[in-house]
Amino acid sequence: MPIRISYSSREGIFNKCERKFQLYKLLAGTYEKEEAAHFSHGHAFGAGIANYFLTKDKARAKLACWLAYWPNILDEGYSAYHSCIILEGAFPHIDKLMAEGWELARFNDLPAIELSCRLNINPDFYEVAFLDLAIFNKRLNIYAVFENKTTGSRLNDITPMYKNSSQTIGYSICLDTISGQRLANFGTFTFVAQQKSKDITNLEY
């Protein structure tokens, strides 16, 4: 039976030792799924951004963010309230994109949120990916992959962390298939909320 690979596992144990990854998958039922506050925070922030693209309503987006903070792990620097504050700071940046003509794409009349796709690597492995969002610009007539990220990195320039990511290469293949056209030109947005310290006001986007 083919074994499923995700982007996070490919960047971790799979690239270090393929056999160890296979054993980990076979014994997966004996492990508890890792839960951490930063996972809840990232999920909540992404849900809020997606809802804002969908509804253009800040209040509804913050509610979606709050409800998506799960498991409700309260850690120093992380909470549903914290995620909503960071989301609120992101609104002007999303408004700017919308003013430039970007909007949430729709396929089969459904909003392009958390689009799933499967890439068959070989008979033994396949990769499953989930695009945070696909957006479309009517003026430019192009689609784009839109990925949400959160980080606590203190680097002054985090561009190298995300530029030319292998993650977006696979996503571009998925977007080709989902849109039903070969996309010679497509955009890639990695929208990062960076909190450099425990001070919640020390934010960059």
Side-chain angles (χ1 to χ4, degrees):
M1 177 182 293
I3 296 177
R4 168 180 166 170
I5 302 172
S6 66
Y7 172 75
S8 57
S9 62
R10 174 164 55 83
E11 292 297 294
I13 189 174
F14 178 74
N15 281 343
K16 294 177 183 177
C17 178
E18 185 176 310
R19 180 58 180 158
K20 187 176 180 181
F21 176 78
Q22 288 178 309
L23 291 173
Y24 175 82
K25 282 292 186 179
L26 290 172
L27 299 174
T30 64
Y31 291 89
E32 292 185 5
K33 186 177 180 180
E34 181 182 1
E35 295 181 349
H38 66 272
F39 290 145
S40 298
H41 168 57
H43 181 64
F45 179 75
I49 293 292
N51 188 277
Y52 189 52
F53 264 109
L54 178 65
T55 66
K56 300 180 177 62
D57 186 315
K58 292 181 174 64
R60 291 179 66 178
K62 285 191 286 186
L63 177 61
C65 176
W66 186 283
L67 294 176
Y69 189 90
W70 187 263
N72 188 23
I73 302 173
L74 301 180
D75 193 8
E76 186 175 2
Y78 291 108
S79 67
Y81 172 77
H82 172 271
S83 300
C84 287
I85 292 294
I86 292 180
L87 173 66
E88 193 165 9
F91 288 148
H93 301 278
I94 304 302
D95 288 339
K96 183 179 178 181
L97 284 176
M98 291 179 177
E100 294 172 355
W102 291 100
E103 62 182 35
L104 187 63
R106 302 186 76 90
F107 300 111
N108 298 323
D109 203 33
L110 295 174
I113 299 172
E114 285 290 324
L115 294 176
S116 62
C117 60
R118 168 174 169 161
L119 302 176
N120 293 318
I121 300 171
N122 57 39
D124 297 317
F125 298 102
Y126 68 93
E127 182 166 351
V128 173
F130 296 89
L131 286 71
D132 287 345
L133 300 172
I135 56 179
F136 180 69
N137 192 307
K138 289 183 177 179
R139 300 176 191 171
L140 303 176
N141 194 33
I142 61 172
Y143 288 95
V145 173
F146 189 97
E147 282 294 296
N148 300 299
K149 304 289 183 183
T150 57
T151 180
S153 171
R154 298 185 180 185
L155 294 174
N156 290 327
D157 183 8
I158 59 174
T159 304
M161 294 173 60
Y162 302 103
K163 189 175 182 180
N164 300 321
S165 166
S166 61
Q167 185 178 22
T168 56
I169 295 174
Y171 287 175
S172 69
I173 298 172
C174 296
L175 201 52
D176 276 349
T177 304
I178 295 170
S179 67
Q181 57 183 294
R182 297 287 295 178
L183 302 176
N185 291 314
F186 71 94
T188 302
F189 292 93
T190 303
F191 186 68
V192 185
Q194 181 184 19
Q195 185 177 353
K196 289 186 175 182
S197 70
K198 293 180 181 179
D199 182 359
I200 200 169
T201 63
N202 189 13
L203 294 170
E204 293 183 12
Y205 297 88

